[in-house]
Amino acid sequence: MKAFVIESGELKLADLEEPTAKSGEVVVSLKAAGINRRDLGLVKRYGDNPEALIIGSDGAGVVESVGEDVTNFAYGDEVIINPALRWYTNSDAPPAEFDILGMPDHGTFTEKIALSAEQVEKKPRHLSWEEAGSLVLPALTGYRALFTKGQLKKGSTLFIPGAGSGVATFLIQFAKNSGARVIVTSRSEEKRQQAMKIGADLAIPTDSDWAKELADETVDLVIDSVGAATFNRSLDILKKGGRIVIFGATTDDNVDFNLRKFFYGQYQLFGSTMGSREELRAMLSHMESHNMRPIIDQVFPLDQAQEAFDHLASGNQFGKVVLSMNK
């Protein structure tokens, strides 16, 4: 079978043996797989290991075979992959055994994958294969950050630095479905307009004076994944006592901020990563009840995976970049 792998420090297409289902596992014949920013950094993390690793966290496809002791899925079932491994019930933080699919385990940028039946869910009927295959990691990340950690309420105002990422497009839609006001930023006028089309109430330039632009706004919640480049600017426009949730750091991991200003302002800072199966199922119910769909930027065939990676790395996308395994 074809697979996009890291091998000896390089990304490449490879031909690998097809997997088989062990006890408690299913083999899924994948139709589509979404690329996430996490995937871009795996080459450096995996190093020069000569053993080929299939990367990729998100995917959707059809159950091809089931192992012993699997009773909840059968041949032909249409499913999505849950890449939040071994995190089943909601908790303040992931359990010690939690990991994300795609390293060290083989991931989804391939034609077939074997994994625990506990890590698959029925595919939402209203979604296409490309939508379903790009769904879980960004949507679940956004759902937990927004509702579990951010405690978003109807009538609240949410601020999102950066409008074009996959997570941001889910955050905008989740928040609007819940009756919140949504403000985003982007360097791109086109992305600002696209954000408004999917529900943002206000979109301002990244390089503008945020405090001046939002002087008449009361920002209750900030959800940020940019890191050092935006943290203090976000804090400046957050209301006293407001919440800021961090789920990533695409600029710098280390941030300097004024502790005295922070504690006098009674601000609340939360970290968030992925989410539990319990939250995933709540998220899927939310999406189905609102007929909500992922925003797809571009779909590439599996044999053009490197071009897809380059497109995501450029930062020019709005929404999800997806690999299609349809032959």
Side-chain angles (χ1 to χ4, degrees):
M1 68 177 185
K2 291 181 180 178
F4 193 55
V5 305
I6 306 172
E7 185 178 340
S8 300
E10 295 183 357
L11 290 168
K12 59 190 291 187
L13 277 172
D15 287 312
L16 303 179
E17 290 186 10
E18 294 187 2
T20 57
K22 299 175 184 176
S23 178
E25 291 186 340
V26 296
V27 170
V28 178
S29 178
L30 289 158
K31 298 289 188 180
I35 304 176
N36 296 290
R37 288 216 159 263
R38 175 181 188 270
D39 302 312
L40 301 182
L42 292 183
V43 173
K44 183 176 181 180
R45 289 175 56 191
Y46 195 60
D48 295 328
N49 193 321
E51 184 176 350
L53 172 72
I54 304 170
I55 57 175
S57 300
D58 277 323
V62 178
V63 173
E64 182 176 276
S65 63
V66 300
E68 294 181 5
D69 301 321
V70 175
T71 58
N72 51 338
F73 291 98
Y75 173 82
D77 284 348
E78 296 184 349
V79 297
I80 58 174
I81 307 297
N82 174 11
L85 302 179
R86 300 172 291 275
W87 187 4
Y88 304 120
T89 57
N90 193 6
S91 52
D92 289 338
E97 59 272 21
F98 165 76
D99 214 329
I100 299 175
L101 185 68
M103 194 176 92
D105 307 74
H106 281 312
T108 56
F109 296 164
T110 182
E111 293 176 314
K112 298 179 182 182
I113 183 174
L115 76 169
S116 169
E118 298 289 344
Q119 298 300 145
V120 295
E121 299 289 331
K122 293 293 180 67
K123 170 185 170 291
R125 293 182 179 180
H126 72 291
L127 299 184
S128 70
W129 284 117
E130 290 77 16
E131 290 168 337
S134 63
L135 173 65
V136 178
L137 190 149
L140 181 56
T141 298
Y143 190 89
R144 179 175 173 85
L146 190 64
F147 296 114
T148 305
K149 296 293 188 177
Q151 295 290 300
L152 183 78
K153 301 292 192 299
K154 182 178 181 180
S156 297
T157 296
L158 168 68
F159 180 76
I160 310 167
S165 74
V167 178
T169 59
F170 284 108
L171 287 169
I172 293 168
Q173 294 181 86
F174 286 144
K176 290 309 298 178
N177 292 343
S178 303
R181 178 171 172 78
V182 180
I183 303 170
V184 302
T185 75
S186 178
R187 292 182 177 84
S188 164
E189 171 63 23
E190 181 181 0
K191 288 185 180 182
R192 294 196 296 271
Q193 292 302 318
Q194 288 173 309
M196 299 280 281
K197 287 179 181 178
I198 66 169
D201 297 282
L202 179 63
I204 63 176
T206 300
D207 58 1
S208 65
D209 183 335
W210 294 357
K212 183 176 180 180
E213 293 274 3
L214 305 180
D216 296 328
E217 301 282 351
T218 300
V219 175
D220 302 285
L221 172 64
V222 173
I223 298 185
D224 192 349
S225 66
V226 180
T230 55
F231 181 87
N232 280 297
R233 299 182 71 195
S234 295
L235 204 57
D236 284 342
I237 56 89
L238 181 63
K239 76 173 187 181
K240 285 183 171 55
R243 293 184 172 213
I244 181 166
V245 180
I246 307 295
F247 69 86
T250 55
T251 52
D252 194 329
D253 291 353
N254 298 305
V255 176
D256 291 325
F257 64 98
N258 188 312
L259 277 176
R260 188 170 299 278
K261 177 181 176 182
F262 188 87
F263 66 70
Y264 268 116
Q266 305 278 311
Y267 300 108
Q268 302 175 74
L269 176 62
F270 296 86
S272 190
T273 301
M274 288 290 288
S276 65
R277 184 174 64 183
E278 182 180 351
E279 289 164 304
L280 170 59
R281 291 174 176 174
M283 180 204 82
L284 293 174
S285 177
H286 175 108
M287 291 186 68
E288 288 177 324
S289 66
H290 291 278
N291 197 33
M292 180 178 155
R293 296 175 178 272
I295 306 300
I296 303 297
D297 175 82
Q298 196 166 340
V299 179
F300 293 81
L302 179 60
D303 59 8
Q304 292 180 18
Q306 185 60 62
E307 289 89 336
F309 264 55
D310 293 342
H311 178 59
L312 181 61
S314 74
N316 293 324
Q317 89 291 345
F318 185 87
K320 294 300 301 176
V321 178
V322 186
L323 297 177
S324 173
M325 284 67 172
N326 288 330
K327 307 173 188 63

